[in-house]
Amino acid sequence: MSGWEVLALPYFTQVCRATVGPSLSAAGFVETRVRPGGSLVFSRGDSLSTLGYFADYTPLELLMTIGTGGSQLDSDGRFNFVPLGFALRERSIEADESIWHFERDERSLERQLGKVRDNFIVPIALPLMDDTEQLTRLIERYRAEYRP
């Protein structure tokens, strides 16, 4: 193993499934893909969410994206998603940056995912994914700020 693979966490996928999966499942999302490195993709109709991490950061950092259109890029190569952190900033919701950080062990990941689930995924991300118009406007603002 060489390159980024040495940084991958073998337990990331399983901890995500156990900690966040039930909340997404209750909202009608199903796991549709596991990406290299263990990040998970969940979908419901045209709604799409990914949950992963930056393996080369210290401490490690969680990343969740929410989007529409059934894929991460549209036919013109533009983003069809927005990072949850961007959505929070756009809604003027202050989030302690440390909530996204975890150490290289399962318990730390489980603890932080639980906080992200309870503070942001269930009360903010899921309702936002139910409001396609609002989510589309948010994605447009993200596209204007960050070009692929």
Side-chain angles (χ1 to χ4, degrees), residues 5-140:
E5 295 96 351
V6 300
L7 299 174
L9 302 175
Y11 51 82
F12 185 82
T13 302
Q14 199 59 32
V15 172
C16 283
R17 284 179 179 139
T19 308
V20 178
S23 297
L24 292 172
S25 179
F29 283 83
V30 295
E31 181 184 321
T32 54
R33 186 171 168 207
V34 178
R35 292 191 171 146
S39 64
L40 295 173
V41 179
F42 295 90
S43 63
R44 179 189 68 195
D46 278 350
S47 295
L48 188 70
S49 180
T50 63
L51 187 58
Y53 63 100
F54 294 108
D56 55 346
Y57 286 25
T58 303
L60 298 166
E61 186 172 321
L62 292 166
L63 172 67
M64 182 175 188
T65 64
I66 54 177
T68 62
S71 66
Q72 292 231 313
L73 298 176
D74 69 10
S75 59
D76 295 326
R78 298 178 307 165
F79 295 129
N80 253 355
F81 69 90
V82 60
L84 185 54
F86 182 85
L88 296 175
R89 283 192 305 279
E90 285 289 302
R91 299 175 111 207
S92 299
I93 297 170
E94 295 295 321
D96 180 355
E97 288 294 317
S98 68
I99 200 167
W100 303 102
H101 298 156
F102 65 101
E103 298 302 322
R104 198 171 279 279
D105 67 78
E106 290 179 59
R107 287 190 184 148
S108 177
L109 173 60
E110 185 177 3
R111 182 175 50 253
Q112 294 312 100
L113 274 173
K115 289 178 184 178
V116 168
R117 176 198 61 219
D118 295 344
N119 290 290
F120 305 122
I121 295 173
V122 172
I124 298 166
L126 291 176
L128 188 54
M129 287 189 285
D130 286 336
D131 187 341
T132 306
E133 275 187 31
Q134 185 178 8
L135 182 55
T136 300
R137 285 192 305 271
L138 186 62
I139 291 169
E140 289 296 330

